[in-house]
Amino acid sequence: AVVSTQSGHYGRGFFTRSIMKLSRFAVAIVMMTMTLVVVMGSTTKTTEPPCSKIGIIHIHGLFEGWREHAKLRQILGERYGVYTHLIGSYSYVASLTPIWHQVKDIRKEVEAIASKYDMIIGIGFSQGGIIWRGIVETWDDHNIHTLVTLASPLMGLHHLPDLLFEKVPLLKAISSPMLHAYAYTPIGQLTGFLNYFNDRNHHELYLKRSSFLPDVNCERGSADTRKRYKTNFLKLRKMLVVGGPGEDVVDPWESTIFGYYSPGNYNQEVDMTELEVYRKDLFGLKTLNERGGLQRCVFPKIDHIDFRDNIEMLKKCVFPTLDKLIGKN
């Protein structure tokens, strides 16, 4: 067969040679592209490496999901070149699920992600910090190096904020002084945030019927379980807790830095060092603090939601710790 063009007539041999030349040229281009990818990959940190030394895992708070924390992931990615895994389970209304159920399921996700890394930095916003405590204390061979909690009710809630009454209309029918009568019932404990409701005027009821916080505080339970939880907590190399007096959800705000109300007196806030769980070192908080592993950072003038990703708060409280651990990109 002969193909006619404006330049003349060309036979089958011409096209065979041309195709072979084009093929060699295409192969060369592909090889050059692959070489560039390899070279660039050796100097640029990838978005989500299959295996790396340090990974970051973030757990969201109540009535929200991973999307509300995409900005923080972007900030940390730009600064450190490390991918932040945002846990999306139990988002929005599902965040009302009892905390132990959330801990059990989310821990499976965390373990799967953590297996890709030598060590993990855990970050928890609000209720996410409470969930992290459950994960750390029940995970015997965890590789969580540093735990960062942002505006988390670490010692519980004494009063419920207006936000919760708006989201859960049933609570509106219960007056504040009688909230314990509902909260510490089997039905009340089906609501996640009531698992860390800590009424200082009804401490014995809290110890007996609250289904989460007394456990991770090692205020009850068998000796073996309490020893296990404490041992796992103390496997943390560092814990950074962040909060501030501008807090408008967690009451008292000191709960975000392990303080709380004095027993029997919800008008008097006390430092963590005056609380029984600290003095008796029930879950290892005193030991962690005395060995220099606990850092508390108070940042004023921002409300609860701003603790998600306020850049000035991050600069003062979070970056100094992560800079030493990861190093700036």
Side-chain angles (χ1 to χ4, degrees):
V2 176
V3 178
S4 177
T5 70
Q6 292 181 349
S7 300
H9 300 279
Y10 301 92
R12 189 187 305 274
F14 172 80
F15 279 98
T16 300
R17 290 192 299 272
S18 298
I19 291 172
M20 290 178 66
K21 289 180 181 179
L22 287 172
S23 297
R24 287 195 293 269
F25 180 72
V27 169
I29 293 295
V30 171
M31 293 299 293
M32 289 175 63
T33 303
M34 292 177 66
T35 301
L36 285 172
V37 169
V38 171
V39 171
M40 291 177 65
S42 65
T43 58
T44 304
K45 295 180 180 179
T46 58
T47 302
E48 185 179 2
C51 183
S52 183
K53 183 178 180 181
I54 302 176
I56 302 176
I57 303 176
H58 181 285
I59 300 177
H60 64 80
L62 187 64
F63 294 120
E64 60 173 17
W66 68 267
R67 290 178 178 82
E68 284 78 3
H69 300 277
K71 180 181 176 181
L72 178 62
R73 175 166 63 184
Q74 179 181 355
I75 292 171
L76 296 180
E78 292 174 352
R79 187 176 182 87
Y80 301 111
V82 175
Y83 186 80
T84 298
H85 300 264
L86 302 177
I87 300 296
S89 297
Y90 292 100
S91 298
Y92 308 107
V93 175
S95 65
L96 291 171
T97 303
I99 301 300
W100 273 127
H101 289 285
Q102 297 193 51
V103 167
K104 180 181 178 181
D105 290 341
I106 293 176
R107 184 182 136 186
K108 294 176 183 177
E109 293 184 63
V110 168
E111 287 184 12
I113 296 169
S115 66
K116 301 178 182 179
Y117 301 93
D118 293 335
M119 63 182 184
I120 291 295
I121 297 170
I123 302 178
F125 170 72
S126 192
Q127 182 172 277
I130 286 284
I131 292 171
W132 264 118
R133 284 194 61 192
I135 290 173
V136 166
E137 293 185 30
T138 59
W139 186 2
D140 295 334
D141 55 350
H142 73 74
N143 59 340
I144 312 300
H145 180 283
T146 297
L147 179 58
V148 179
T149 62
L150 305 173
S152 295
L154 299 170
M155 293 303 296
L157 295 172
H158 185 86
H159 294 104
L160 300 185
D162 292 339
L163 170 67
L164 296 183
F165 286 99
E166 294 171 5
K167 296 288 186 178
V168 187
L170 174 63
L171 296 177
K172 293 182 178 180
I174 306 171
S175 62
S176 182
M178 292 301 295
L179 182 58
H180 70 279
Y182 171 76
Y184 297 136
T185 64
I187 294 178
Q189 288 298 297
L190 293 177
T191 303
F193 62 79
L194 292 180
N195 299 158
Y196 48 90
F197 176 63
N198 186 356
D199 191 333
R200 297 303 262 175
N201 293 322
H202 300 89
H203 189 61
E204 292 303 317
L205 201 57
Y206 151 82
L207 290 177
K208 183 178 180 180
R209 297 184 179 177
S210 181
S211 65
F212 179 77
L213 190 59
D215 296 327
V216 293
N217 277 350
C218 295
E219 296 174 281
R220 69 178 184 204
S222 69
D224 287 343
T225 297
R226 286 184 280 117
K227 180 180 179 180
R228 177 189 170 216
Y229 286 4
K230 183 175 181 178
T231 297
N232 290 337
F233 179 79
L234 288 173
K235 288 178 182 176
L236 290 173
R237 298 292 296 277
K238 182 175 286 292
M239 184 172 186
L240 167 63
V241 297
V242 182
E247 175 65 55
D248 58 348
V249 171
V250 179
D251 180 23
W253 75 263
E254 288 86 352
S255 179
T256 63
I257 55 171
F258 278 120
Y260 208 65
Y261 288 124
S262 176
N265 186 354
Y266 62 84
N267 292 314
Q268 180 183 355
E269 300 89 349
V270 296
D271 185 65
M272 71 174 184
T273 56
E274 298 183 46
L275 298 176
E276 183 179 35
V277 294
Y278 182 90
R279 289 186 289 103
K280 293 185 177 180
D281 202 26
L282 295 184
F283 65 93
L285 185 62
K286 182 178 181 180
T287 297
L288 184 68
N289 186 42
E290 291 182 346
R291 76 184 189 196
L294 178 65
Q295 182 180 352
R296 299 190 291 170
C297 185
V298 175
F299 192 85
K301 298 181 181 180
I302 63 173
D303 60 21
H304 186 74
I305 295 300
D306 284 339
F307 279 98
R308 284 174 177 166
D309 50 35
N310 179 275
I311 191 64
E312 296 304 319
M313 177 273 297
L314 293 173
K315 287 179 179 178
K316 177 185 175 182
C317 297
V318 179
F319 289 165
T321 294
L322 299 191
D323 286 353
K324 292 178 182 177
L325 188 58
I326 307 175
K328 293 176 65 176
N329 191 12

